[in-house]
Amino acid sequence: MNITIYSNQNIGAEINSVNARDLHEFLNSGQDYSDWIKNRINQYGFTLNQDYIIQTAYTKGRPRKEYFITLDMAKELCMVENNERGKEARRYFIECEKKLTRLKSIEQTNRIANLEAIAMSKENYHKSQINGYKAQLAKHNEKIKLLKARLTIAENEAKSLSNDDELLKKLEWLFKRALADGVIYAINSSRDKIINDALKRGLDEFMSNLHLLKNQ
């Protein structure tokens, strides 16, 4: 059967349509095409822009109206024609609808699968980023622990140098300041070199001040 199904015409909510001229030719109706389509529209109450649309085509410079009808309207026209050609065409349109429904289902399934694949890829990317951040944080935490351990050792060594209460209070204040500065500096740093500098800076500052106190 040589009746083309068009998928580029918007008729209401439908995009699949048939040129009524092709259907009229296949049905072998005895009526003139222009009279046939107009009579069918008036007789069965078909609605413009819902059941059919009208487009102007030009053949050899002369305009003519082309009626594109939905598959539902085409099936109804085939049925009211009440002949074998009408029955054949109606079965053809029903089969076309089934195929189009299957294709639409496949397209939707593929679209969903593609969206899921994209979502999965983004999720894996974000997980990789999070894991990277966790690894960096764990590494920084280890650096901070090392800083605390070194400063604690330095504090203990300083306390063993003297029993003078005033000296011990100054040492304790220096220790707390060096610890706070070093930890804050390390936390705010994102590069290993800067973190190492922060650790060294805190310890060097404390030891320098300790040396000055010892020489007072």
Side-chain angles (χ1 to χ4, degrees):
M1 180 176 297
N2 189 23
I3 300 180
T4 302
I5 305 295
Y6 296 92
S7 298
N8 60 348
Q9 306 292 343
N10 291 319
I11 307 175
E14 297 293 327
I15 61 171
N16 299 307
S17 63
V18 175
N19 190 321
R21 189 182 299 275
D22 295 339
L23 178 59
H24 173 265
E25 182 179 349
F26 178 81
L27 294 175
N28 285 332
S29 173
Q31 297 183 59
D32 175 73
Y33 167 69
S34 180
D35 294 334
W36 175 80
I37 188 62
K38 291 177 182 178
N39 290 337
R40 289 290 188 263
I41 290 173
N42 293 330
Q43 185 177 358
Y44 296 100
F46 294 115
T47 303
L48 179 65
N49 294 326
Q50 180 177 326
D51 300 305
Y52 68 96
I53 58 174
I54 301 174
Q55 293 185 352
T56 301
Y58 292 88
T59 57
K60 297 181 180 180
R62 298 181 59 183
R64 72 178 186 184
K65 292 181 178 180
E66 296 292 355
Y67 290 75
F68 288 91
I69 62 178
T70 63
L71 296 186
D72 284 340
M73 180 174 172
K75 289 187 294 183
E76 190 167 347
L77 292 179
C78 291
M79 184 173 61
V80 300
E81 201 66 27
N82 197 25
N83 60 21
E84 288 302 318
R85 282 276 186 157
K87 292 178 182 179
E88 182 182 351
R90 185 171 182 274
R91 288 193 295 268
Y92 167 74
F93 291 135
I94 291 174
E95 188 60 31
C96 286
E97 283 183 322
K98 290 180 180 178
K99 291 180 180 179
L100 290 170
T101 299
R102 286 195 294 269
L103 287 175
K104 186 176 181 180
S105 177
I106 293 172
E107 289 176 356
Q108 289 178 339
T109 300
N110 291 338
R111 189 177 298 111
I112 292 173
N114 289 336
L115 290 174
E116 289 178 346
I118 292 172
M120 183 69 69
S121 177
K122 289 183 178 179
E123 182 180 359
N124 291 336
Y125 173 73
H126 292 319
K127 284 182 178 179
S128 176
Q129 281 191 318
I130 291 172
N131 290 335
Y133 295 148
K134 287 181 178 179
Q136 289 182 13
L137 180 60
K139 192 173 183 180
H140 294 170
N141 287 338
E142 289 300 320
K143 299 278 187 181
I144 292 171
K145 287 180 181 179
L146 178 61
L147 170 64
K148 288 181 178 180
R150 288 180 177 177
L151 290 177
T152 299
I153 293 172
E155 181 190 30
N156 292 334
E157 289 179 354
K159 286 181 178 180
S160 67
L161 296 176
S162 175
N163 292 322
D164 184 85
D165 290 340
E166 184 178 353
L167 176 61
L168 291 177
K169 287 180 180 180
K170 290 182 179 180
L171 289 174
E172 183 178 359
W173 177 80
L174 287 172
F175 168 74
K176 290 180 179 179
R177 191 182 72 174
L179 176 62
D181 290 346
V183 170
I184 292 172
Y185 193 83
I187 290 175
N188 291 332
S189 301
S190 61
R191 298 180 181 176
D192 290 341
K193 183 178 183 304
I194 296 178
I195 292 173
N196 290 332
D197 289 345
L199 297 174
K200 186 175 183 302
R201 177 181 299 182
L203 189 57
D204 289 347
E205 180 181 354
F206 176 78
M207 297 304 294
S208 177
N209 288 321
L210 176 60
H211 179 72
L212 291 175
L213 283 174
K214 288 172 61 178
N215 294 330
Q216 287 181 357

